[in-house]
């Protein structure tokens, strides 16, 4: 394809525009706070780690795994719950918006001892 002068100018403008939006996209990516990934593994009948300390307003991503049976993670104070499926990774984004210590628990019956399966999260300023 041959470009005349006008066509060349339009192509150059389009290229500049594309470059400009790429630069601002990269800037936005670095400016956004990166969510910290926290791995939580579940087994009958506890979570590892069993206690977490998080900062209010800082996003985290829970990576939930189990090698056992189907389990759940339920954090009722934040309306957060997820299934933990054997040999799969379940990712849940969580941004704590209040401080305190909160209990999470397994909400899928996974055997005798299930009722004691829980952990806690402390959210600090
Ligand atoms: Cu359970």
């Amino acid at each position: 394809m041959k470009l005349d002068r006008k066509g060349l100018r339009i192509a150059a403008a389009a290229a500049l525009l594309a470059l400009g939006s790429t630069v601002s996209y990269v800037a936005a990516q670095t400016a956004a706070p990166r969510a910290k990934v926290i791995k939580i593994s579940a087994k009958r009948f506890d979570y590892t780690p069993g206690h977490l300390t998080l900062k209010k307003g800082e996003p985290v991503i829970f990576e939930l795994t189990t090698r056992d049976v189907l389990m759940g993670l339920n954090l009722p104070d934040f309306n957060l719950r997820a299934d933990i499926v054997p040999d799969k990774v379940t990712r849940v984004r969580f941004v704590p918006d209040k401080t305190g210590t909160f209990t999470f628990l397994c909400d899928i019956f996974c055997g005798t001892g299930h009722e004691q399966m829980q952990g806690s999260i402390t959210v600090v300023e």
Side-chain angles (χ1 to χ4, degrees):
M1 188 177 87
K2 257 187 126 179
L3 290 175
D4 56 13
R5 251 184 190 300
K6 192 179 166 201
L8 210 59
R9 239 180 282 144
I10 293 171
L16 273 177
L17 210 66
L19 186 70
S21 57
T22 306
V23 169
S24 54
Y25 172 76
V26 170
Q29 289 296 297
T30 37
R34 268 185 81 97
K36 190 167 118 190
V37 174
I38 298 173
K39 294 176 194 291
I40 301 175
S41 68
K43 68 172 173 33
R44 282 184 260 177
F45 299 97
D46 60 332
Y47 298 95
T48 307
H51 181 79
L52 296 167
T53 301
L54 302 177
K55 278 201 160 183
K56 184 182 166 188
E58 275 190 11
V60 293
I61 292 169
F62 293 143
E63 280 191 358
L64 309 169
T65 55
T66 182
R67 290 185 163 180
D68 270 355
V69 294
L70 180 67
M71 298 186 190
L73 185 143
N74 192 336
L75 182 60
D77 292 290
F78 292 90
N79 255 327
L80 181 114
R81 86 152 305 280
D83 288 339
I84 309 176
V85 184
D87 300 316
K88 276 194 156 189
V89 180
T90 304
R91 288 187 181 82
V92 194
R93 191 174 188 273
F94 174 52
V95 187
D97 59 359
K98 56 190 164 200
T99 57
T101 296
F102 309 95
T103 300
F104 60 88
L105 48 97
C106 178
D107 61 358
I108 295 176
F109 182 78
C110 54
T112 315
H114 156 80
E115 288 78 9
Q116 280 77 52
M117 187 171 170
Q118 56 178 247
S120 59
I121 295 178
T122 299
V123 182
V124 297
E125 278 294 344

